[in-house]
Amino acid sequence: MPITGFFVTYNDVLAPGGFHRVTTAAAGRADINEHSDSAVQSYLWVTESPSAGEPIVDVLVLDGGEDVPEGYERIKRNLTKGTDSRKYLCVKRSQAEGDVPVSHVCIVFGDQAPEDGDFEEVNQCILGGSVPARLFLKRSTGEAGWSGFDLKLDDWVDALDTESVWRVAQVIEATDGTVTIHYKNWGSKWDDTMPRDSPKLAPVGTHTSGKDTGWRKRT
């Protein structure tokens, strides 16, 4: 699904409902300031909700003093709060038929690139240093076919939990309009029932690389 919005939070503050945290390429924790001297934890979030606006087709990282390019909009809040740097995200929304939307983003620390060769790096690092924080994006392939209405018993999916973290889950019940999922490595009290067309469901591996994110273990 195309990304329609970004949000930035600090420390333990959560983004509004419908947003989920951007992770590393290996679906791990992605505090942008992790390898800096900053005491502030900085997190990037995204949403695919249509209510957030038209699909985003390009993403730039800009220094605080740079002008926003024509056709782009700046996302509020400094990505690198607490450091000597001020970096902001700018996005461009779909304006014409044929624009290819961004479907996934990840943060990489260091010099390596995501194993998935479909990712491309944005124009500059979010944060430099000996272990730079770099933002990569993947564009939608335009392939159709996956639908929550096709899910059946025992299918695996990526599912967004109540703390806005994507996790691997399995369908344990299915009706015409809903599916009940069980999160991998969680106790059954965390099972959740969602509408089949919920934006909190996605093909397995879309947001998790097919692995539990491990953001917070529950039993």
Side-chain angles (χ1 to χ4, degrees):
M1 297 178 66
I3 291 174
T4 56
F6 284 87
F7 201 83
V8 179
T9 65
Y10 307 124
N11 298 325
D12 295 329
V13 177
L14 301 178
F19 282 80
H20 56 89
R21 296 182 204 252
V22 174
T23 66
T24 66
R29 180 187 177 94
D31 168 18
I32 292 169
N33 290 337
E34 180 176 357
H35 299 283
S36 74
D37 294 331
S38 174
V40 178
Q41 296 174 331
S42 179
Y43 297 104
L44 185 62
W45 302 66
V46 295
T47 183
E48 296 91 5
S49 172
S51 64
E54 293 295 322
I56 289 170
V57 297
D58 197 25
V59 179
L60 299 175
V61 173
L62 297 184
D63 294 316
E66 288 188 81
D67 293 332
V68 177
E70 184 177 355
Y72 287 74
E73 60 188 76
R74 191 170 85 168
I75 304 301
K76 295 179 180 179
R77 296 185 180 176
N78 179 9
L79 289 165
T80 54
K81 184 178 180 179
T83 73
D84 294 333
S85 171
R86 287 193 304 131
K87 295 291 179 71
Y88 293 87
L89 214 61
C90 286
V91 301
K92 182 179 182 181
R93 297 187 181 276
S94 178
Q95 298 175 346
E97 186 175 352
D99 284 343
V100 182
V102 175
S103 61
H104 190 57
V105 293
C106 69
I107 293 172
V108 173
F109 297 104
D111 298 327
Q112 300 299 314
E115 293 183 3
D116 185 338
D118 290 334
F119 277 96
E120 58 187 86
E121 189 171 5
V122 301
N123 60 309
Q124 64 169 303
C125 293
I126 302 176
L127 187 62
S130 58
V131 185
R134 301 153 61 209
L135 183 65
F136 285 78
L137 61 83
K138 182 194 290 188
R139 300 183 185 278
S140 172
T141 62
E143 295 177 356
W146 190 90
S147 168
F149 288 94
D150 296 328
L151 290 172
K152 57 186 183 300
L153 196 65
D154 297 329
D155 280 351
W156 290 93
V157 296
D158 283 357
L160 194 65
D161 71 11
T162 55
E163 294 186 347
S164 297
V165 178
W166 285 99
R167 296 185 181 274
V168 175
Q170 189 173 29
V171 177
I172 57 173
E173 293 182 17
T175 69
D176 288 344
T178 65
V179 290
T180 300
I181 56 170
H182 173 77
Y183 292 103
K184 185 179 180 181
N185 298 327
W186 286 26
S188 59
K189 68 179 180 180
W190 302 108
D191 293 351
D192 197 4
T193 299
M194 300 182 183
R196 284 182 174 270
D197 60 354
S198 172
K200 296 182 178 181
L201 296 171
V204 65
T206 302
H207 302 285
T208 66
S209 298
K211 301 177 182 178
D212 182 14
T213 62
W215 185 267
R216 182 172 298 172
K217 293 295 184 184
R218 289 177 166 182
T219 57

